[in-house]
Amino acid sequence: MLIAQLALNALALGSAYALVAIGFVLVLNATTAVNFAHGESVVAGGFSAVALALFLPPDLGIPGLILLPGVLIITAVLGLAIGALAYLPIRNRPPVSVFVTTIAVGIILANSLNAGFGAAPQTAPALVGVGSFDLFGVRISRQSLAIIATAVVLIGGLAFLLQRTQLGRQFRACSQDPEMARALGIRLTRITMLAFALGTALAGAAGLLLAHQFFISPSDGGILILKAYIAVVIGGWGSLRGAAAGAMLIAFFEIGVAAVSSQPVAEGLLYMAVLLVLFVRPQGLFGEPQQVRA
Amino acid sequence: MTERITPQTCFTLLGGIGLAVYALFLASSYDQRILTLSGVYVILVLGYQFIFGHAGALSLAQGAFFGIGAYVTGILGSQFGAGFVLTFPLSIAGAAVIAAIVAVPVLRLQTHYFALATLALSQLLFLIGVNWESVTGGANGLSGVPGITLGDWRFTRGLPLLAIVWAIAGDGDDHRVLADDCAACAHRGLHGHAGNPAGGPGLRDRHRDAAPARLPAQRGLWRGGRGAVRAHQPGRFAGDAGLRGHDHLPDHDRGRRAVRPCRVR
């Protein structure tokens, strides 16, 4: 039964990580560059939930889920700002420049949040209330279940957008061949900015999902971007499905190792495993679905 | 080295003289502290120039090597009372040795994998710094690290410390030529192995021209090994800066000598 509970926790953590990693890949595919401010975007999402929660009357017990649209909008705007400030001006430079500018944006974001909210970890309201219930003898936490459900809905919405709509088709066209897409009349800049908005909004949603159970503090961005990065490398650079799978793998590894030892040991082993994998397979675990572009 | 005098060098020179005059006669102790810190960062950046500027490899572990240097001095200084003469070379050696060990596998990686590996490495070292409390003092850090002394000279905080930090920073800058050579070597090694793995702008074009085209791939590989070790100057310099960073690590401005874990990216 303990195993089932751990699996549920891992699934919840993995869903949140998957949102982060998928957002990361969206921007990656649209720009061929790594958005290093992505971890701080997650943190910004968590803190916008904390800030928005101040407007909720505390005694009515309104579920935190109604903050989701607000968080999505705030972080989508943040994503547009990141794209406009850190990507568009240097889009014709080597991708490594975007690394540097987005690292700078991330530092600015983290320090602004630190100035605004303080360095202490904060918690956002639970999505649909706290506590747990029994199902076939397994204690199921409402929060974990709500995290999984929310992530499934968001990822499903994204999949629908990308696979079934004209906009999604344009989106994929731009990431497969930007030159050709442009020649066919697709507005590349608009699609790229949309990728920043969508990717950062997904990161923000993950921030809301993580901020209740796992707390959120301004300096968390570095760890979150690292996990998204690892997920993307495990799943294949540029693959959305792979990113989600990689995120799940990380979460199960973390929860599993932490269950028999401790959280720092789990993280340390994760990083060591990543280093080992990279040494054995320098081209990533499953290779790259697209040619090397970043 | 003879250089043409351009308006740019004039401005740099005037600015430098202005800052020196300011530091000597006008600066408050807080200003001196800031100027000392900027000297420490100059050393850190000079090291990063080797690996990112010249070899074009996006290393995200520079701050971690800075930290290794700081912890070597911090641990030896606070727990064993070791002085500057011992801790200075050991800090440099500590960072350089770890960088050299890590370099062998890491330099094979391509662009974003190189960045990820160095980021994972720095996070790993950060975790060790925070969690190995009996040695590193955990998140509270180490206090009681002795200041810099050379024989009878005590470089106390303020102008003396400022002077020695900038003297070392200036010394680092003199190694530019050496840096170019090392980077050319490292770059050739990187190229010999996997195209342009280090990514980014890579080496300046003159080095690309300088690399003989006839260099067989195998030889390129072998040179890569040597270049890898030499490219470890960044580690060395970071350790260097970390050392002097011992009472100047950012993140805490509490006026006590301490080494504490913090991220320097």
PDB file of all heavy atoms in Angstrom, chain A residues 178-191:
ATOM      1  N   PRO A 178      11.732  26.502 -40.013  1.00  0.00           N
ATOM      2  CA  PRO A 178      11.323  27.901 -39.895  1.00  0.00           C
ATOM      3  C   PRO A 178      11.394  28.649 -41.233  1.00  0.00           C
ATOM      4  O   PRO A 178      10.493  29.425 -41.555  1.00  0.00           O
ATOM      5  CB  PRO A 178      12.292  28.487 -38.879  1.00  0.00           C
ATOM      6  CG  PRO A 178      13.251  27.425 -38.508  1.00  0.00           C
ATOM      7  CD  PRO A 178      12.802  26.146 -39.076  1.00  0.00           C
ATOM      8  N   GLU A 179      12.436  28.367 -42.015  1.00  0.00           N
ATOM      9  CA  GLU A 179      12.598  29.085 -43.284  1.00  0.00           C
ATOM     10  C   GLU A 179      11.419  28.807 -44.213  1.00  0.00           C
ATOM     11  O   GLU A 179      10.808  29.709 -44.766  1.00  0.00           O
ATOM     12  CB  GLU A 179      13.891  28.633 -43.978  1.00  0.00           C
ATOM     13  CG  GLU A 179      15.150  28.883 -43.175  1.00  0.00           C
ATOM     14  CD  GLU A 179      15.469  30.357 -43.067  1.00  0.00           C
ATOM     15  OE1 GLU A 179      15.357  31.041 -44.105  1.00  0.00           O
ATOM     16  OE2 GLU A 179      15.795  30.823 -41.958  1.00  0.00           O
ATOM     17  N   MET A 180      11.123  27.522 -44.349  1.00  0.00           N
ATOM     18  CA  MET A 180      10.044  27.112 -45.246  1.00  0.00           C
ATOM     19  C   MET A 180       8.714  27.652 -44.744  1.00  0.00           C
ATOM     20  O   MET A 180       7.889  28.136 -45.531  1.00  0.00           O
ATOM     21  CB  MET A 180      10.015  25.581 -45.315  1.00  0.00           C
ATOM     22  CG  MET A 180       9.165  25.041 -46.426  1.00  0.00           C
ATOM     23  SD  MET A 180       9.846  25.550 -48.011  1.00  0.00           S
ATOM     24  CE  MET A 180       8.414  25.393 -49.044  1.00  0.00           C
ATOM     25  N   ALA A 181       8.512  27.568 -43.423  1.00  0.00           N
ATOM     26  CA  ALA A 181       7.255  28.045 -42.851  1.00  0.00           C
ATOM     27  C   ALA A 181       7.071  29.517 -43.177  1.00  0.00           C
ATOM     28  O   ALA A 181       5.991  29.964 -43.561  1.00  0.00           O
ATOM     29  CB  ALA A 181       7.258  27.821 -41.341  1.00  0.00           C
ATOM     30  N   ARG A 182       8.165  30.252 -43.059  1.00  0.00           N
ATOM     31  CA  ARG A 182       8.103  31.672 -43.332  1.00  0.00           C
ATOM     32  C   ARG A 182       7.779  31.910 -44.807  1.00  0.00           C
ATOM     33  O   ARG A 182       6.977  32.781 -45.146  1.00  0.00           O
ATOM     34  CB  ARG A 182       9.452  32.299 -42.987  1.00  0.00           C
ATOM     35  CG  ARG A 182       9.382  33.772 -42.826  1.00  0.00           C
ATOM     36  CD  ARG A 182      10.672  34.270 -42.250  1.00  0.00           C
ATOM     37  NE  ARG A 182      10.417  35.328 -41.291  1.00  0.00           N
ATOM     38  CZ  ARG A 182      11.364  35.887 -40.590  1.00  0.00           C
ATOM     39  NH1 ARG A 182      12.607  35.476 -40.686  1.00  0.00           N
ATOM     40  NH2 ARG A 182      11.069  36.852 -39.754  1.00  0.00           N
ATOM     41  N   ALA A 183       8.406  31.111 -45.659  1.00  0.00           N
ATOM     42  CA  ALA A 183       8.173  31.258 -47.093  1.00  0.00           C
ATOM     43  C   ALA A 183       6.715  30.988 -47.442  1.00  0.00           C
ATOM     44  O   ALA A 183       6.173  31.544 -48.392  1.00  0.00           O
ATOM     45  CB  ALA A 183       9.080  30.307 -47.868  1.00  0.00           C
ATOM     46  N   LEU A 184       6.078  30.147 -46.637  1.00  0.00           N
ATOM     47  CA  LEU A 184       4.671  29.817 -46.895  1.00  0.00           C
ATOM     48  C   LEU A 184       3.732  30.840 -46.268  1.00  0.00           C
ATOM     49  O   LEU A 184       2.528  30.664 -46.269  1.00  0.00           O
ATOM     50  CB  LEU A 184       4.345  28.427 -46.351  1.00  0.00           C
ATOM     51  CG  LEU A 184       5.018  27.269 -47.100  1.00  0.00           C
ATOM     52  CD1 LEU A 184       4.760  25.961 -46.392  1.00  0.00           C
ATOM     53  CD2 LEU A 184       4.524  27.210 -48.538  1.00  0.00           C
ATOM     54  N   GLY A 185       4.286  31.883 -45.681  1.00  0.00           N
ATOM     55  CA  GLY A 185       3.450  32.956 -45.174  1.00  0.00           C
ATOM     56  C   GLY A 185       3.072  32.846 -43.712  1.00  0.00           C
ATOM     57  O   GLY A 185       2.212  33.570 -43.242  1.00  0.00           O
ATOM     58  N   ILE A 186       3.688  31.920 -43.003  1.00  0.00           N
ATOM     59  CA  ILE A 186       3.417  31.841 -41.563  1.00  0.00           C
ATOM     60  C   ILE A 186       4.222  32.926 -40.857  1.00  0.00           C
ATOM     61  O   ILE A 186       5.395  33.138 -41.168  1.00  0.00           O
ATOM     62  CB  ILE A 186       3.807  30.453 -41.017  1.00  0.00           C
ATOM     63  CG1 ILE A 186       2.951  29.376 -41.672  1.00  0.00           C
ATOM     64  CG2 ILE A 186       3.637  30.404 -39.502  1.00  0.00           C
ATOM     65  CD1 ILE A 186       3.342  27.970 -41.310  1.00  0.00           C
ATOM     66  N   ARG A 187       3.575  33.616 -39.941  1.00  0.00           N
ATOM     67  CA  ARG A 187       4.283  34.697 -39.252  1.00  0.00           C
ATOM     68  C   ARG A 187       5.134  34.113 -38.137  1.00  0.00           C
ATOM     69  O   ARG A 187       4.641  33.829 -37.041  1.00  0.00           O
ATOM     70  CB  ARG A 187       3.284  35.687 -38.686  1.00  0.00           C
ATOM     71  CG  ARG A 187       2.451  36.276 -39.781  1.00  0.00           C
ATOM     72  CD  ARG A 187       1.847  37.544 -39.311  1.00  0.00           C
ATOM     73  NE  ARG A 187       1.140  38.185 -40.408  1.00  0.00           N
ATOM     74  CZ  ARG A 187       0.541  39.345 -40.275  1.00  0.00           C
ATOM     75  NH1 ARG A 187       0.564  39.962 -39.115  1.00  0.00           N
ATOM     76  NH2 ARG A 187      -0.079  39.876 -41.284  1.00  0.00           N
ATOM     77  N   LEU A 188       6.407  33.969 -38.443  1.00  0.00           N
ATOM     78  CA  LEU A 188       7.324  33.279 -37.556  1.00  0.00           C
ATOM     79  C   LEU A 188       7.424  33.968 -36.197  1.00  0.00           C
ATOM     80  O   LEU A 188       7.375  33.318 -35.149  1.00  0.00           O
ATOM     81  CB  LEU A 188       8.702  33.214 -38.230  1.00  0.00           C
ATOM     82  CG  LEU A 188       9.689  32.243 -37.631  1.00  0.00           C
ATOM     83  CD1 LEU A 188       9.131  30.845 -37.642  1.00  0.00           C
ATOM     84  CD2 LEU A 188      10.998  32.276 -38.419  1.00  0.00           C
ATOM     85  N   THR A 189       7.546  35.294 -36.224  1.00  0.00           N
ATOM     86  CA  THR A 189       7.725  36.026 -34.965  1.00  0.00           C
ATOM     87  C   THR A 189       6.523  35.833 -34.046  1.00  0.00           C
ATOM     88  O   THR A 189       6.668  35.609 -32.846  1.00  0.00           O
ATOM     89  CB  THR A 189       7.912  37.521 -35.250  1.00  0.00           C
ATOM     90  OG1 THR A 189       8.941  37.661 -36.208  1.00  0.00           O
ATOM     91  CG2 THR A 189       8.284  38.258 -33.983  1.00  0.00           C
ATOM     92  N   ARG A 190       5.336  35.877 -34.682  1.00  0.00           N
ATOM     93  CA  ARG A 190       4.121  35.736 -33.886  1.00  0.00           C
ATOM     94  C   ARG A 190       4.068  34.347 -33.236  1.00  0.00           C
ATOM     95  O   ARG A 190       3.749  34.200 -32.055  1.00  0.00           O
ATOM     96  CB  ARG A 190       2.909  35.951 -34.787  1.00  0.00           C
ATOM     97  CG  ARG A 190       1.653  36.233 -34.022  1.00  0.00           C
ATOM     98  CD  ARG A 190       0.489  36.418 -34.958  1.00  0.00           C
ATOM     99  NE  ARG A 190       0.447  37.747 -35.560  1.00  0.00           N
ATOM    100  CZ  ARG A 190      -0.511  38.132 -36.385  1.00  0.00           C
ATOM    101  NH1 ARG A 190      -1.484  37.306 -36.704  1.00  0.00           N
ATOM    102  NH2 ARG A 190      -0.508  39.338 -36.889  1.00  0.00           N
ATOM    103  N   ILE A 191       4.409  33.330 -34.031  1.00  0.00           N
ATOM    104  CA  ILE A 191       4.389  31.962 -33.515  1.00  0.00           C
ATOM    105  C   ILE A 191       5.429  31.791 -32.405  1.00  0.00           C
ATOM    106  O   ILE A 191       5.183  31.147 -31.382  1.00  0.00           O
ATOM    107  CB  ILE A 191       4.649  30.958 -34.669  1.00  0.00           C
ATOM    108  CG1 ILE A 191       3.537  31.037 -35.712  1.00  0.00           C
ATOM    109  CG2 ILE A 191       4.788  29.550 -34.138  1.00  0.00           C
ATOM    110  CD1 ILE A 191       2.221  30.450 -35.278  1.00  0.00           C
TER     111      ILE A 191
END
